[in-house]
Amino acid sequence: MSQEPIFRDVVIIGSGLAGLTAAHTMRQQGIEPLVLERESDLGASWDRRHPQLTLNTHRSLSALPGLSYPAGTGAFPKRSAVIAHLQAFQDRHQFEIRHDAAVSSISRADGRFNVETTVGTILASAVIVATGRDAVPVVPQWKGLETFTGRVLHAADFGDARAYQGRSVLVVGGGNSGFDVLNHLSRIETGPVWLALRNSTSVLPKRMCGFAVHRLSPLMASLPTRFADRLIGWTQRVAFGDLTRHGFPPGRFDAATRLARNQIAIAVDDGAVAAVKRGRIAVVGGVTEFGGATVTLSDGTTLAPDIVIVAVGYVSALTSLLGSLGVVDETGRPHLRGGLGETAVPGLWLVGMQPSLTSYFQQAQREAKHAARSIARMQRA
Ligand SMILES: Cc1cc2nc3c(=O)[nH]c(=O)nc-3n(C[C@H](O)[C@H](O)[C@H](O)COP(=O)(O)OP(=O)(O)OC[C@H]3O[C@@H](n4cnc5c(N)ncnc54)[C@H](O)[C@@H]3O)c2cc1C
């Protein structure tokens, strides 16, 4: 790319599932976008995740537009199947993706966006940011953390579950990534495992009597939120009984409301709850501080795990990209108009930043369609 700024109608940042979906919907509107991707290959974000990862969402709801997974793919595709799916989509559509092009900032002047990248400046009438919501792992700055003599890692760095054989592990956080870690730990011979929870958690089984529960998600998503809360709460109770008997904090049964308001995704159980019931995993209170070999919990008791896995989530990296445009708060959470990725800056769209009851794939399609139609209207005007 030359050092002179080049002009493109539409620039998409990121070639993950959200960026590829956005490229597809733009082409359907007759506009060829330029996709900027900082990595050399497609699927790098999935490649960095742990090797035993399978999706929590059913394959029928986890596909890019118009492309199915090949015959023989399991109900919940493996990490490698997702990467192959992204590649197959790009092979079919041949979008213009510029790899090794990292965007450092986006600003606006004279009615156009200035996209600063490692390969030069690009001017664009519209920008779709699809850089991922799970971009930066969060590790709270607990008191004494730096003095802890055990190992502390984020769930993003979980790695191979077999490495935890014989080790005592404290998992902090019972959301999606906490349960993912516990599901895998429940299948190997670890030492004691604890789950530290500050609040109640919403959790659904991956399968019930062999049925993939996630297939009910379109029904749940079609209901008014308070009915979806009840259906999810009812499914949780039928699947697991009263979890407070096993140390979980009392449930609030407002999973759909929390997802819509606070973007807290519902955890998926694939063996962890049974391990809690068997006494292999103990549910304990939230972590308050660290010191030497011990971790102190909210009730004052202490534990001395070999390893602490922090599973309290991620934040986006939007602040550094979009800081000057006033569309992101200090925690990296975007201010969006409505539920479909629209920002207050005309021509700037975010795709893939919001979880949904169905899947990120489905939500990205809804957002990308809305963005592409609006951008096409804007360009025709
Ligand atoms: C462990 C885990 C399991 C998950 N399981 C599921 C599941 O079962 N079902 C589901 O629907 N969702 C799941 N998700 C959530 C979501 O689908 C994934 O996070 C998915 O990767 C999001 O896709 P994306 O395209 O929005 O972001 P990403 O996959 O992160 O893609 C963003 C792309 O943007 C690029 N990029 C970022 N910054 C820049 C920049 N400054 N310049 C240029 N390029 C940039 C990145 O290199 C990357 O290629 C899971 C997430 C995690 C962490």
Side-chain angles (χ1 to χ4, degrees):
M1 205 172 279
S2 76
Q3 290 310 303
E4 283 296 299
I6 60 162
F7 179 79
R8 294 297 296 246
D9 284 332
V10 179
V11 164
I12 296 172
I13 305 170
S15 68
L17 71 91
L20 292 177
T21 303
H24 183 256
T25 53
M26 282 314 323
R27 183 176 283 173
Q28 283 180 321
Q29 294 295 330
I31 299 173
E32 278 303 313
L34 172 65
V35 182
L36 300 173
E37 169 56 59
R38 68 179 171 197
E39 304 283 349
S40 310
D41 299 303
L42 280 187
S45 55
W46 293 99
D47 204 36
R48 272 194 293 273
R49 292 171 186 157
H50 64 80
Q52 52 274 302
L53 180 77
T54 60
L55 292 185
N56 281 336
T57 50
H58 191 266
R59 62 166 186 263
S60 59
L61 296 160
S62 308
L64 291 163
L67 183 69
S68 302
Y69 285 87
T73 306
F76 300 100
K78 291 181 178 164
R79 180 183 77 152
S80 55
V82 177
I83 296 170
H85 185 72
L86 297 177
Q87 189 60 57
F89 192 72
Q90 170 60 8
D91 291 347
R92 176 185 285 189
H93 293 290
Q94 301 291 322
F95 297 117
E96 185 183 349
I97 302 178
R98 174 72 201 246
H99 284 278
D100 303 311
V103 176
S104 52
S105 72
I106 303 166
S107 55
R108 193 163 161 82
D110 305 325
R112 290 193 303 204
F113 292 96
N114 272 18
V115 181
E116 298 297 340
T117 84
T118 46
V119 292
T121 302
I122 298 165
L123 306 175
S125 323
V127 172
I128 298 179
V129 178
T131 49
R133 186 170 177 265
D134 302 316
V136 184
V138 173
V139 178
Q141 291 308 298
W142 285 291
K143 188 175 163 199
L145 182 61
E146 67 290 348
T147 69
F148 184 59
T149 52
R151 187 168 163 227
V152 180
L153 59 121
H154 191 274
D157 302 315
F158 179 58
D160 189 332
R162 288 171 301 186
Y164 299 84
Q165 230 141 14
R167 316 301 302 280
S168 59
V169 187
L170 171 64
V171 178
V172 186
N176 230 332
S177 50
F179 263 84
D180 179 49
V181 161
L182 291 166
N183 291 334
H184 294 294
L185 291 180
S186 71
R187 292 185 203 119
I188 56 163
E189 289 301 323
T190 59
V193 176
W194 302 273
L195 164 62
L197 282 182
R198 273 192 321 194
N199 303 305
S200 69
T201 194
S202 296
V203 54
L204 289 175
K206 202 155 186 170
R207 293 185 185 79
M208 257 170 109
C209 306
F211 176 74
V213 173
H214 183 252
R215 298 193 84 170
L216 293 176
S217 65
L219 168 69
M220 291 172 177
S222 70
L223 296 173
T225 308
R226 65 202 159 96
F227 291 124
D229 282 340
R230 283 190 208 153
L231 179 57
I232 294 166
W234 178 84
T235 311
Q236 179 172 321
R237 271 191 299 264
V238 170
F240 306 123
D242 178 10
L243 286 175
T244 59
R245 288 176 47 220
H246 303 282
F248 283 85
R252 285 166 35 192
F253 302 118
D254 58 353
T257 303
R258 282 202 280 173
L259 186 121
R261 279 199 200 140
N262 306 327
Q263 311 200 330
I264 299 173
I266 300 165
V268 174
D269 172 66
D270 195 16
V273 173
V276 170
K277 289 182 176 176
R278 285 200 308 275
R280 287 232 13 237
I281 299 173
V283 181
V284 297
V287 167
T288 55
E289 63 182 278
F290 288 72
T294 61
V295 182
T296 306
L297 305 174
S298 52
D299 62 1
T301 56
T302 56
L303 302 171
D306 297 324
I307 303 169
V308 176
I309 301 180
V310 182
V312 301
Y314 299 79
V315 288
S316 74
L318 293 175
T319 314
S320 54
L321 271 190
L322 301 173
S324 68
L325 295 172
V327 295
V328 183
D329 72 17
E330 65 287 350
T331 65
R333 197 167 152 171
H335 303 297
L336 295 175
R337 293 175 153 180
L340 290 174
E342 185 174 352
T343 72
V345 177
L348 178 68
W349 296 79
L350 307 185
V351 173
M353 300 295 163
Q354 300 177 93
S356 75
L357 279 172
T358 48
S359 73
Y360 273 84
F361 294 81
Q362 299 284 304
Q363 178 67 14
Q365 285 184 38
R366 283 189 283 272
E367 293 169 357
K369 263 188 201 148
H370 186 52
R373 285 192 191 128
S374 307
I375 290 170
R377 258 199 313 274
M378 193 180 84
Q379 307 238 321
R380 281 195 294 267

